[in-house]
Amino acid sequence: MSRPDLDHLLPDAEADVRPSPEGAAARRALIAHPAVLLIGIVLASLNMRAALASVSPLIGEISDTFGLSSTASSLVTSVPVLFLGVGAMIAPWLARRFGTEVVLLCALILLAVGVLVRVLPSVFALYGGGVLAGTAIALLNVLMPGLIKRDFPDRAASMTSVYTGAMIGGATLCAAASVPLEKAFGNSWQASLAFWSLLAAVAAVAWLPQVLIARGRTGHEVRVAPAGTGPARSIWRSALAWQVTLFMGLQSLWSYVLIAWMPTIFTDHGMSRSTAGVIFAFNNLVQVAGAFGVPLLAGRMRSQRPLIVLVTSMVAVGYAGLMVAPVSGAWLWSAVLGVGQGGAVGLALTLIVLRSGDAQTAARLSGMAQTVGYLLAAVGPLTAGAVYQATGSWTLPIALVLGVCAAALVVGLFAARDRKVQAGG
């Protein structure tokens, strides 16, 4: 058969295997289904605290491996939290430049890499992996509220409860499984931590359809907000934005102190490491109730002030309990703290959405609140560890956190007013 004859046949052969327009449309409709987006959001949210919560039950072994002091050990948690703030600075710009969907996908991949780097046999890798993980989590944290405001404008509060619940559920899973995984992997804390890179990898795969949908809609990635729609820093002149930001930071501070030190507080008072890990996991589990319930209540209220009082009071009572009866009341304090912590983070994230009039403002407010908030929160674990090392007791560190609770109550009452963030007001 001659070459021209082959060329004559090729178009018909290609037509036989080319997908029909109806089939291609059906596949696009499938990946664009809201359930696919919901699955992507939930799996991404599971990773938002996993890399941090998985460390706390193993901090003793990590410290022993590298010969770290209490202050240096606190940096294992503080460094990622610090870069939650640093990463939050660049998240809105990255989203405008490359698109929310692509940035979220890259964040999940970066998180998986950071988790693996952290277990390399070097103290520099331990902290360096924390830098990568913290930056990745920052991108997830900052962009999710704007994405929810954009894609679920009429269900923003309920969707916030879903993703905050998933976020805390991921932390619960990691906290509960870290020590058993360590034992299952031959007493290797490195293998236990590395295992959680799989969670980020699975979430990255689940997020791929969103990138395809975004490209299919516009020919390029969807932006959080159109470029050039106003001065990006004008929100920094808003008093209400600062009140939301400070509440975000103060509630993050008390949460990350517990993430870093709760198991240690218990073991320093004579509790076994395995029991302390179980109670820490229970604390994270109970947080799911607050994280789901409080945002749903907040969405039905014009002013969220009663919820501010509720969550800050519960956290203060729980911390006071850790000061006076850490072992005998451990389960009670963990439960009270858990509901308060989960409710506080859910409320803080919901306030970002409720105080914003549109997706663009939500994205900017989220970037501001989490930049300043997590930079403030990074001080918590480091300061608590340093004060504990200096005094040999957890009394003064806990007393300082009680002061944080009082400050959060004050700024939270202002942030919970029924107002919208306006530039300069």
Side-chain angles (χ1 to χ4, degrees), residues 57-58 60-61 179 182-183 187 263 267 271-278:
L58 305 173
E61 287 71 19
V179 173
E182 179 193 21
K183 294 178 179 178
N187 293 320
T267 56
M271 186 180 292
S272 70
R273 190 168 65 90
S274 59
T275 301
V278 170

Side-chain angles (χ1 to χ4, degrees), residues 163-177:
Y163 100 82
T164 53
M167 176 180 69
I168 294 171
T172 303
L173 174 65
C174 293

Side-chain angles (χ1 to χ4, degrees), residues 84-93 138 142 367 370-371 375:
L84 290 180
V86 174
M89 295 179 187
I90 62 172
W93 177 83
V142 171
Q370 299 197 56
T371 296
L375 290 174

Side-chain angles (χ1 to χ4, degrees), residues 34-351:
V36 177
L37 175 57
L38 179 60
I39 291 170
I41 289 173
V42 169
L43 288 175
S45 301
L46 286 172
N47 286 275
M48 287 183 177
R49 281 192 178 177
L52 302 174
S54 60
V55 170
S56 187
L58 305 173
I59 195 68
E61 287 71 19
I62 296 172
S63 299
D64 291 342
T65 298
F66 295 107
L68 303 178
S69 66
S70 295
T71 303
S73 296
S74 69
L75 289 173
V76 177
T77 301
S78 292
V79 165
V81 177
L82 175 63
F83 278 84
L84 290 180
V86 174
M89 295 179 187
I90 62 172
W93 177 83
L94 288 173
R96 289 192 297 270
R97 176 65 179 84
F98 300 105
T100 302
E101 289 81 2
V102 167
V103 176
L104 288 172
L105 174 62
C106 292
L108 290 165
I109 296 171
L110 180 63
L111 179 58
V113 172
V115 170
L116 293 176
V117 168
R118 192 170 53 178
V119 302
L120 295 176
S122 165
V123 71
F124 298 106
L126 177 67
Y127 293 125
V131 169
L132 297 179
T135 303
I137 294 169
L139 301 177
L140 297 170
N141 284 345
V142 171
L143 298 182
M144 198 64 73
L147 181 140
I148 286 175
K149 186 75 172 181
R150 185 195 72 191
D151 291 347
F152 300 94
D154 299 325
R155 291 176 288 169
S158 60
M159 284 302 302
T160 300
S161 74
V162 169
Y163 100 82
T164 53
M167 176 180 69
I168 294 171
T172 303
L173 174 65
C174 293
S178 287
V179 173
L181 280 173
E182 179 193 21
K183 294 178 179 178
F185 288 125
N187 293 320
S188 171
W189 63 263
Q190 294 92 339
S192 177
L193 292 185
F195 177 84
W196 300 112
S197 65
L198 295 175
L199 185 63
V202 170
V205 172
W207 198 253
L208 276 173
Q210 304 312 315
V211 177
L212 299 176
I213 294 166
R215 288 182 178 275
R217 278 199 300 254
T218 65
H220 54 78
E221 296 81 358
V222 175
R223 269 84 163 116
V224 170
T229 54
R233 291 184 59 83
S234 63
I235 197 171
W236 292 75
R237 296 194 296 268
S238 167
L240 180 57
W242 275 104
Q243 291 151 11
V244 173
T245 294
L246 289 175
F247 182 74
M248 166 64 79
L250 293 172
Q251 69 81 27
S252 296
L253 190 154
W254 73 46
S255 288
Y256 284 108
V257 168
L258 285 177
I259 289 173
W261 295 115
M262 177 180 268
T264 305
I265 291 172
F266 291 141
T267 56
D268 282 353
H269 287 88
M271 186 180 292
S272 70
R273 190 168 65 90
S274 59
T275 301
V278 170
I279 296 177
F280 178 61
F282 172 71
N283 168 261
N284 282 273
L285 177 63
V286 174
Q287 288 182 46
V288 176
F292 269 114
V294 170
L296 292 176
L297 292 173
R300 293 178 170 87
M301 302 168 70
R302 293 180 61 86
S303 168
Q304 292 74 37
R305 286 181 165 185
L307 297 177
I308 293 287
V309 174
L310 175 65
V311 298
T312 54
S313 297
M314 293 187 75
V315 171
V317 169
Y319 263 108
L322 291 181
M323 183 188 294
V324 300
V327 175
S328 60
W331 289 98
L332 174 61
W333 311 135
S334 293
V336 173
L337 280 165
V339 176
Q341 286 172 265
V345 68
L347 182 55
L349 293 168
T350 304
L351 288 175

Side-chain angles (χ1 to χ4, degrees), residues 238-240 243 302 351 354-356 414-422 425:
S238 167
L240 180 57
Q243 291 151 11
R302 293 180 61 86
L351 288 175
L354 295 179
R355 298 289 86 89
S356 304
F414 283 102
R417 293 173 296 169
D418 182 23
R419 296 176 57 189
K420 298 293 185 184
V421 169
Q422 302 291 336

